[in-house]
Amino acid sequence: MVTARHLFPALLLITWSAFFSTTGTQAGPAVQAPVKEASERREVLDPGQYAGQVKAGYEAARQIPDIVDKLFCYCGCDLTDCHGSLLDCFTSDHGVDCHVCQEEAIIALRLHKKGKPLAYIQKKIDKKYEKEYPFELESNTLKKYRAERLWGSKKKSESGKPAIRKHRDKKAGCCGSNSDKDSAAEPVKEPADNP
């Protein structure tokens, strides 16, 4: 037979759980707040409110948001505006005044329409714009992007850790002298629009 004495501990536990779930204090895994899914990201602003290259940049981001979200914006907005990817530039009005953001999105769309894979798009944009990055030290956002991007060798150094590629002076070769063999210092030309 169930009595009030037997029900009291159960009622106390239910009341206690309900209290802590509404006050924000977590009593355990059962009362944790739901985690937002990646698909709940903000929408790209309406390209129709802009003109020219600004409109083209916003339109590109709107057409391929999943690709633009996997690109790094080299204008420095990762530190100045806390952006995590190029997509963040177009979910706000940041992309209005930034030619780097606009150009990266437009190139990404053009390459996507040519059937190029994400790794190819990332590499072309990285090679073309990494010199535009305004800060001497890499941000954590840039480090994370470089670790996750789909292109580039994952060579290990002798210590077993990934080798870190440092930017060299554009005039210096691999040993500090001018060298025609230093392809890293040469600008990458965008592929011609011909199929």
Side-chain angles (χ1 to χ4, degrees):
M1 175 178 210
V2 178
T3 64
R5 191 176 104 164
H6 292 100
L7 290 176
F8 181 73
L11 290 173
L12 183 61
L13 180 61
I14 291 169
T15 305
W16 180 75
S17 295
F19 171 76
F20 281 108
S21 67
T22 59
T23 61
T25 305
Q26 295 181 358
V31 291
Q32 289 182 354
V35 178
K36 283 187 176 182
E37 294 183 25
S39 63
E40 295 180 32
R41 70 172 165 247
R42 293 176 40 212
E43 293 294 318
V44 172
L45 297 182
D46 178 17
Q49 62 184 326
Y50 307 113
Q53 183 164 315
V54 175
K55 181 177 183 175
Y58 277 86
E59 184 60 42
R62 179 174 268 188
Q63 287 184 35
I64 54 167
D66 291 337
I67 291 173
V68 175
D69 196 29
K70 292 182 175 55
L71 298 173
F72 183 79
C73 183
Y74 286 97
C75 78
C77 60
D78 57 320
L79 290 177
T80 61
D81 295 276
C82 299
H83 288 176
S85 75
L86 179 61
L87 183 63
D88 292 335
C89 302
F90 299 101
T91 60
S92 67
D93 62 356
H94 175 82
V96 172
D97 297 319
C98 183
H99 74 91
V100 173
C101 307
Q102 298 161 10
E103 291 172 11
E104 284 187 31
I106 292 166
I107 291 169
L109 178 61
R110 186 178 313 134
L111 294 174
H112 173 71
K113 285 183 174 181
K114 290 181 180 183
K116 301 299 182 184
L118 177 59
Y120 182 89
I121 296 169
Q122 287 176 328
K123 184 174 184 178
K124 287 297 180 185
I125 289 174
D126 291 350
K127 291 294 183 182
K128 184 168 182 158
Y129 290 98
E130 65 187 358
K131 65 187 174 289
E132 299 285 331
Y133 192 63
F135 304 110
E136 198 170 306
L137 297 175
E138 293 181 357
S139 69
N140 288 336
T141 305
L142 179 53
K143 289 176 187 176
K144 181 178 187 268
Y145 167 76
R146 286 190 171 156
E148 294 175 353
R149 68 184 177 191
L150 301 176
W151 72 274
S153 61
K154 306 274 186 194
K155 292 181 181 177
K156 302 270 184 180
S157 65
E158 291 178 15
S159 67
K161 295 181 180 178
I164 298 173
R165 291 177 24 189
K166 296 183 179 176
H167 295 287
R168 295 183 291 222
D169 186 321
K170 293 178 187 175
K171 297 177 185 174
C174 65
C175 299
S177 62
N178 247 347
S179 170
D180 292 336
K181 296 178 184 178
D182 185 19
S183 61
E186 296 176 19
V188 176
K189 294 181 183 176
E190 186 178 345
D193 285 344
N194 299 341

